[in-house]
Coordinates of all heavy atoms in Angstrom, one line a residue:
M1 N 133.8 74.6 189.0 CA 133.9 74.6 187.5 C 133.4 75.9 187.0 O 132.4 76.4 187.4 CB 133.1 73.4 187.0 CG 133.1 73.4 185.5 SD 132.3 71.9 184.9 CE 132.0 72.5 183.2
T2 N 134.2 76.4 186.1 CA 133.9 77.7 185.5 C 133.2 77.5 184.1 O 133.5 76.6 183.4 CB 135.1 78.6 185.4 OG1 134.7 79.8 184.8 CG2 136.2 78.0 184.6
W3 N 132.3 78.3 183.8 CA 131.6 78.2 182.5 C 132.3 78.9 181.3 O 131.9 78.8 180.2 CB 130.2 78.8 182.6 CG 129.3 78.0 183.5 CD1 129.1 78.2 184.9 CD2 128.6 76.8 183.1 NE1 128.3 77.2 185.4 CE2 128.0 76.3 184.3 CE3 128.5 76.1 182.0 CZ2 127.1 75.2 184.3 CZ3 127.7 75.0 182.0 CH2 127.0 74.5 183.1
L4 N 133.4 79.7 181.6 CA 134.0 80.4 180.6 C 134.6 79.6 179.5 O 134.4 79.9 178.3 CB 135.1 81.3 181.2 CG 135.6 82.4 180.4 CD1 134.5 83.4 179.9 CD2 136.6 83.2 181.2
P5 N 135.3 78.5 179.7 CA 135.8 77.7 178.6 C 134.8 77.0 177.8 O 134.8 77.0 176.6 CB 136.6 76.6 179.3 CG 137.0 77.1 180.7 CD 135.8 78.0 181.0
L6 N 133.7 76.6 178.4 CA 132.5 76.0 177.7 C 131.9 77.1 176.8 O 131.6 76.8 175.6 CB 131.5 75.4 178.6 CG 130.3 74.8 178.0 CD1 130.7 73.7 177.0 CD2 129.3 74.3 179.1
L7 N 131.7 78.3 177.4 CA 131.1 79.4 176.6 C 132.0 79.8 175.4 O 131.5 80.0 174.3 CB 130.9 80.6 177.5 CG 130.2 81.8 176.9 CD1 128.8 81.4 176.4 CD2 130.1 82.9 177.9
G8 N 133.3 79.8 175.7 CA 134.2 80.2 174.5 C 134.2 79.1 173.4 O 134.3 79.5 172.3
T9 N 134.1 77.9 173.8 CA 134.0 76.8 172.8 C 132.7 76.9 172.0 O 132.7 76.7 170.8 CB 134.0 75.4 173.6 OG1 135.3 75.3 174.3 CG2 134.0 74.3 172.5
L10 N 131.6 77.1 172.7 CA 130.3 77.3 172.0 C 130.4 78.5 171.0 O 129.9 78.4 169.9 CB 129.2 77.4 173.0 CG 128.9 76.2 173.8 CD1 127.8 76.4 174.8 CD2 128.5 75.0 172.8
V11 N 130.9 79.6 171.5 CA 131.0 80.8 170.6 C 131.9 80.5 169.4 O 131.6 80.8 168.3 CB 131.5 82.0 171.4 CG1 131.8 83.2 170.5 CG2 130.5 82.4 172.4
G12 N 133.0 79.8 169.6 CA 133.9 79.5 168.5 C 133.2 78.6 167.5 O 133.4 78.7 166.3
A13 N 132.5 77.6 168.1 CA 131.8 76.7 167.2 C 130.7 77.4 166.3 O 130.6 77.1 165.2 CB 131.1 75.6 168.0
A14 N 130.0 78.3 166.9 CA 129.0 79.1 166.2 C 129.6 80.0 165.2 O 129.1 80.1 164.1 CB 128.2 80.0 167.3
I15 N 130.7 80.6 165.5 CA 131.5 81.4 164.5 C 132.0 80.5 163.3 O 131.8 80.9 162.1 CB 132.7 82.1 165.1 CG1 132.1 83.2 166.0 CG2 133.6 82.7 164.1 CD1 133.2 83.9 166.9
A16 N 132.5 79.3 163.7 CA 133.0 78.4 162.6 C 131.8 78.0 161.7 O 131.9 77.9 160.5 CB 133.7 77.3 163.2
L17 N 130.7 77.6 162.3 CA 129.6 77.1 161.5 C 129.0 78.2 160.7 O 128.7 78.0 159.5 CB 128.5 76.7 162.5 CG 127.2 76.1 161.8 CD1 127.5 74.9 161.0 CD2 126.2 75.8 162.9
G18 N 128.9 79.4 161.2 CA 128.4 80.6 160.4 C 129.3 80.9 159.3 O 128.8 81.2 158.2
S19 N 130.6 80.9 159.5 CA 131.5 81.2 158.4 C 131.5 80.2 157.3 O 131.5 80.4 156.1 CB 132.9 81.5 158.9 OG 133.4 80.3 159.5
S20 N 131.4 78.9 157.7 CA 131.3 77.8 156.7 C 130.0 77.9 155.9 O 130.0 77.7 154.7 CB 131.5 76.4 157.3 OG 130.4 76.1 158.1
L21 N 128.9 78.2 156.5 CA 127.7 78.4 155.8 C 127.7 79.6 154.9 O 127.2 79.5 153.7 CB 126.5 78.6 156.8 CG 126.1 77.3 157.6 CD1 125.1 77.7 158.6 CD2 125.7 76.2 156.7
L22 N 128.3 80.6 155.3 CA 128.5 81.8 154.4 C 129.3 81.5 153.1 O 129.0 81.9 152.1 CB 129.1 83.0 155.2 CG 129.3 84.3 154.4 CD1 128.0 84.9 154.0 CD2 130.1 85.2 155.3
V23 N 130.4 80.8 153.4 CA 131.3 80.5 152.3 C 130.6 79.5 151.3 O 130.7 79.7 150.1 CB 132.6 79.8 152.8 CG1 133.4 79.1 151.7 CG2 133.4 80.8 153.5
E24 N 129.9 78.6 151.8 CA 129.1 77.7 151.0 C 128.1 78.4 150.1 O 127.9 78.1 149.0 CB 128.5 76.5 151.8 CG 127.8 75.5 151.0 CD 128.8 74.7 150.1 OE1 129.9 74.6 150.4 OE2 128.3 74.2 149.0
R25 N 127.4 79.3 150.8 CA 126.3 80.0 150.0 C 126.9 80.9 148.9 O 126.4 81.0 147.8 CB 125.6 80.9 151.0 CG 124.5 81.8 150.4 CD 123.4 80.9 149.8 NE 122.5 81.7 149.1 CZ 121.9 81.4 147.9 NH1 122.1 80.2 147.4 NH2 121.0 82.2 147.4
R26 N 128.1 81.5 149.2 CA 128.8 82.3 148.2 C 129.2 81.4 147.0 O 129.1 81.8 145.9 CB 129.9 83.0 148.7 CG 129.5 84.2 149.6 CD 130.8 84.9 150.1 NE 130.5 86.3 150.0 CZ 131.3 87.3 150.3 NH1 132.6 86.9 150.5 NH2 131.0 88.5 150.2
R27 N 129.7 80.2 147.3 CA 130.1 79.3 146.3 C 128.9 78.9 145.4 O 129.0 78.8 144.2 CB 130.7 78.0 146.9 CG 131.3 77.0 145.9 CD 132.0 75.9 146.6 NE 133.0 76.3 147.4 CZ 133.2 75.9 148.7 NH1 132.4 75.0 149.2 NH2 134.2 76.3 149.4
E28 N 127.8 78.6 146.0 CA 126.5 78.2 145.3 C 126.1 79.4 144.4 O 125.7 79.1 143.2 CB 125.4 77.9 146.3 CG 125.6 76.6 147.0 CD 124.5 76.4 148.0 OE1 123.6 77.2 148.2 OE2 124.6 75.3 148.7
R29 N 126.2 80.6 144.9 CA 125.8 81.8 144.1 C 126.7 81.9 142.9 O 126.2 82.2 141.8 CB 125.8 83.1 144.9 CG 124.6 83.2 145.8 CD 124.7 84.5 146.6 NE 123.6 84.6 147.5 CZ 123.5 85.7 148.4 NH1 124.4 86.6 148.3 NH2 122.5 85.7 149.2
K30 N 128.0 81.7 143.1 CA 128.9 81.8 142.0 C 128.7 80.7 140.9 O 128.6 81.0 139.7 CB 130.4 81.7 142.5 CG 131.4 81.8 141.4 CD 132.8 81.6 141.9 CE 133.8 81.8 140.8 NZ 135.2 81.6 141.2
E31 N 128.4 79.5 141.4 CA 128.1 78.4 140.4 C 126.8 78.8 139.7 O 126.7 78.5 138.5 CB 127.9 77.1 141.2 CG 129.3 76.6 141.7 CD 129.1 75.3 142.6 OE1 127.9 74.9 142.8 OE2 130.1 74.9 143.0
E32 N 125.8 79.3 140.3 CA 124.5 79.7 139.7 C 124.8 80.8 138.6 O 124.3 80.7 137.5 CB 123.5 80.2 140.7 CG 123.0 79.1 141.5 CD 122.1 79.6 142.7 OE1 121.9 80.9 142.7 OE2 121.6 78.8 143.5
R33 N 125.7 81.7 138.9 CA 126.0 82.8 137.9 C 126.7 82.2 136.7 O 126.4 82.6 135.6 CB 126.9 83.9 138.6 CG 126.1 84.8 139.5 CD 126.9 86.1 139.8 NE 128.3 85.7 140.3 CZ 128.6 85.7 141.6 NH1 127.7 85.8 142.5 NH2 129.8 85.4 142.0
V34 N 127.6 81.3 137.0 CA 128.3 80.7 135.9 C 127.3 79.8 135.0 O 127.4 79.9 133.8 CB 129.5 79.7 136.4 CG1 130.0 78.9 135.3 CG2 130.5 80.6 137.0
E35 N 126.5 79.1 135.6 CA 125.4 78.3 134.8 C 124.5 79.2 134.0 O 124.2 79.0 132.9 CB 124.6 77.5 135.8 CG 125.4 76.3 136.3 CD 124.6 75.5 137.4 OE1 123.4 75.8 137.5 OE2 125.2 74.7 138.1
R36 N 124.1 80.4 134.6 CA 123.2 81.3 133.9 C 124.0 81.9 132.8 O 123.4 82.1 131.6 CB 122.7 82.4 134.8 CG 121.6 82.0 135.7 CD 120.9 83.2 136.3 NE 121.8 84.1 137.0 CZ 122.0 84.1 138.3 NH1 121.4 83.2 139.0 NH2 122.9 84.9 138.8
R37 N 125.3 82.2 132.9 CA 126.1 82.8 131.8 C 126.2 81.8 130.7 O 126.1 82.2 129.5 CB 127.4 83.3 132.4 CG 128.3 83.9 131.3 CD 129.6 84.4 131.8 NE 129.4 85.4 132.9 CZ 130.1 85.5 134.0 NH1 131.1 84.6 134.3 NH2 129.9 86.5 134.9
K38 N 126.5 80.6 131.0 CA 126.6 79.5 130.0 C 125.3 79.4 129.2 O 125.3 79.3 128.0 CB 127.0 78.2 130.6 CG 128.5 78.2 131.0 CD 128.8 76.8 131.6 CE 130.3 76.8 132.0 NZ 130.6 75.4 132.6
A39 N 124.2 79.4 129.9 CA 122.9 79.2 129.3 C 122.6 80.4 128.3 O 122.1 80.2 127.3 CB 121.8 79.2 130.3
K40 N 123.0 81.6 128.8 CA 122.8 82.8 127.9 C 123.7 82.7 126.7 O 123.2 83.0 125.6 CB 123.2 84.1 128.7 CG 122.1 84.6 129.6 CD 122.6 85.9 130.2 CE 121.6 86.4 131.2 NZ 122.0 87.7 131.8
Q41 N 124.9 82.3 126.8 CA 125.8 82.2 125.7 C 125.3 81.1 124.7 O 125.3 81.4 123.5 CB 127.2 81.8 126.2 CG 127.9 82.9 126.8 CD 129.3 82.5 127.4 OE1 129.5 81.3 127.6 NE2 130.1 83.4 127.7
E42 N 124.7 80.1 125.2 CA 124.2 79.0 124.3 C 122.9 79.6 123.6 O 122.8 79.3 122.4 CB 123.8 77.8 125.1 CG 125.0 77.0 125.6 CD 124.6 75.9 126.5 OE1 123.4 75.6 126.7 OE2 125.6 75.2 127.0
M43 N 122.1 80.3 124.3 CA 120.9 80.9 123.7 C 121.3 81.9 122.6 O 120.7 81.9 121.5 CB 120.0 81.6 124.8 CG 118.8 82.1 124.2 SD 117.7 82.9 125.5 CE 118.8 84.2 126.1
Y44 N 122.3 82.7 122.9 CA 122.7 83.7 121.9 C 123.3 83.1 120.7 O 123.1 83.5 119.6 CB 123.8 84.7 122.6 CG 123.2 85.6 123.6 CD1 124.1 86.0 124.6 CD2 121.9 85.9 123.7 CE1 123.6 86.9 125.7 CE2 121.4 86.8 124.7 CZ 122.3 87.2 125.7 OH 121.8 88.1 126.7
A45 N 124.1 82.0 121.0 CA 124.7 81.3 119.8 C 123.6 80.7 118.9 O 123.6 80.7 117.7 CB 125.6 80.2 120.3
R46 N 122.6 80.1 119.5 CA 121.4 79.5 118.8 C 120.7 80.6 118.0 O 120.4 80.5 116.8 CB 120.4 78.8 119.7 CG 121.0 77.5 120.1 CD 119.8 76.6 120.8 NE 119.1 77.4 121.8 CZ 119.3 77.2 123.1 NH1 120.2 76.5 123.6 NH2 118.5 77.9 123.9
Y47 N 120.5 81.8 118.6 CA 119.8 82.9 118.0 C 120.6 83.4 116.8 O 120.1 83.6 115.7 CB 119.6 84.1 119.0 CG 119.2 85.3 118.3 CD1 117.9 85.5 117.8 CD2 120.1 86.4 118.0 CE1 117.5 86.7 117.2 CE2 119.8 87.5 117.4 CZ 118.4 87.7 117.0 OH 118.1 88.8 116.3
L48 N 122.0 83.5 116.9 CA 122.8 84.0 115.9 C 122.8 83.0 114.7 O 122.8 83.4 113.6 CB 124.2 84.3 116.3 CG 124.3 85.5 117.3 CD1 125.8 85.6 117.7 CD2 124.0 86.8 116.5
A49 N 122.8 81.7 115.0 CA 122.8 80.7 114.0 C 121.5 80.7 113.2 O 121.5 80.7 111.9 CB 123.0 79.3 114.6
V50 N 120.4 80.9 113.9 CA 119.0 81.0 113.2 C 119.0 82.2 112.4 O 118.5 82.3 111.3 CB 117.9 80.9 114.3 CG1 116.6 81.2 113.6 CG2 117.9 79.5 114.8
H51 N 119.5 83.3 113.0 CA 119.4 84.7 112.3 C 120.3 84.5 111.0 O 119.8 85.0 109.9 CB 120.0 85.7 113.2 CG 119.9 87.1 112.6 ND1 120.9 87.7 111.9 CD2 118.9 88.0 112.5 CE1 120.5 88.8 111.5 NE2 119.3 89.1 111.8
A52 N 121.5 84.0 111.1 CA 122.3 83.9 109.9 C 121.7 83.0 108.9 O 121.7 83.3 107.7 CB 123.7 83.3 110.3
E53 N 121.0 81.9 109.3 CA 120.3 81.1 108.3 C 119.2 81.8 107.7 O 118.9 81.7 106.5 CB 119.8 79.8 109.0 CG 119.1 78.8 108.1 CD 120.0 78.3 107.0 OE1 121.2 78.1 107.3 OE2 119.4 78.0 105.9
A54 N 118.4 82.6 108.4 CA 117.3 83.4 107.8 C 117.8 84.4 106.8 O 117.3 84.6 105.8 CB 116.6 84.1 109.0
V55 N 119.0 85.0 107.1 CA 119.6 86.0 106.2 C 120.0 85.3 104.9 O 119.7 85.8 103.8 CB 120.8 86.8 106.9 CG1 121.6 87.5 105.9 CG2 120.3 87.6 108.0
R56 N 120.6 84.2 105.1 CA 121.0 83.4 103.9 C 119.8 83.0 103.1 O 119.8 83.1 101.9 CB 121.8 82.2 104.3 CG 123.3 82.4 104.4 CD 124.1 81.1 104.7 NE 124.3 81.3 106.2 CZ 124.3 80.4 107.0 NH1 124.0 79.2 106.7 NH2 124.5 80.6 108.3
S57 N 118.8 82.6 103.7 CA 117.6 82.1 103.1 C 116.9 83.3 102.3 O 116.5 83.2 101.2 CB 116.6 81.5 104.1 OG 115.4 81.3 103.5
C58 N 116.9 84.5 102.9 CA 116.3 85.7 102.3 C 117.2 86.1 101.1 O 116.7 86.5 100.1 CB 116.1 86.8 103.3 SG 114.9 86.5 104.5
A59 N 118.5 86.0 101.3 CA 119.4 86.4 100.2 C 119.4 85.5 99.0 O 119.5 85.9 97.9 CB 120.8 86.5 100.7
S60 N 119.1 84.2 99.2 CA 119.1 83.3 98.1 C 117.7 83.2 97.5 O 117.6 82.5 96.4 CB 119.6 81.9 98.6 OG 118.7 81.4 99.5
S61 N 116.6 83.7 98.1 CA 115.3 83.6 97.5 C 115.2 84.6 96.4 O 115.8 85.7 96.4 CB 114.3 83.8 98.6 OG 114.3 85.1 99.0
P62 N 114.3 84.3 95.4 CA 114.2 85.2 94.3 C 113.5 86.5 94.8 O 112.7 86.5 95.7 CB 113.3 84.4 93.3 CG 112.7 83.3 94.1 CD 113.6 83.0 95.3
S63 N 113.8 87.6 94.1 CA 113.2 88.8 94.5 C 111.7 88.9 94.1 O 111.3 88.2 93.1 CB 113.9 90.0 93.8 OG 115.3 90.0 94.1
L64 N 111.0 89.6 94.9 CA 109.5 89.7 94.6 C 109.4 90.7 93.4 O 110.1 91.7 93.4 CB 108.8 90.2 95.8 CG 108.8 89.2 97.0 CD1 108.1 89.9 98.2 CD2 108.1 88.0 96.6
P65 N 108.4 90.5 92.5 CA 108.2 91.5 91.5 C 107.7 92.8 92.0 O 107.0 92.9 93.0 CB 107.2 90.8 90.6 CG 106.6 89.7 91.3 CD 107.5 89.4 92.5
S66 N 108.1 93.9 91.4 CA 107.7 95.2 91.8 C 106.3 95.6 91.3 O 105.9 95.3 90.3 CB 108.6 96.3 91.4 OG 109.9 96.0 91.8

């Protein structure tokens, strides 16, 4: 019996496992980037809403005497 077919099978399995782990890790990183981007957009939207409300509030308040 020769060890070459067994060795080839093991090497192929290692390559397949390594590539699937790499692809899964890249997918996870992409999902994390998308989630971070959504969180930033939500935070910016809340900031702009609060800022706009503060500007409206300041604009509608009576002026301070000089």
Side-chain angles (χ1 to χ4, degrees):
M1 177 176 161
T2 178
W3 291 95
L4 198 55
L6 179 59
L7 183 61
T9 302
L10 290 175
V11 169
I15 291 171
L17 178 63
S19 65
S20 67
L21 290 174
L22 179 65
V23 166
E24 185 62 29
R25 179 63 185 142
R26 288 183 139 186
R27 184 177 303 132
E28 288 174 0
R29 285 184 182 174
K30 181 180 179 183
E31 289 173 1
E32 288 171 3
R33 281 193 310 266
V34 168
E35 289 173 11
R36 279 194 310 264
R37 183 178 297 139
K38 284 181 183 179
K40 279 184 182 180
Q41 287 175 343
E42 290 173 5
M43 182 180 62
Y44 294 152
R46 285 193 311 261
Y47 169 78
L48 289 174
V50 169
H51 184 267
E53 182 62 33
V55 168
R56 272 184 259 141
S57 174
C58 289
S60 66
S61 68
S63 300
L64 296 176
S66 302

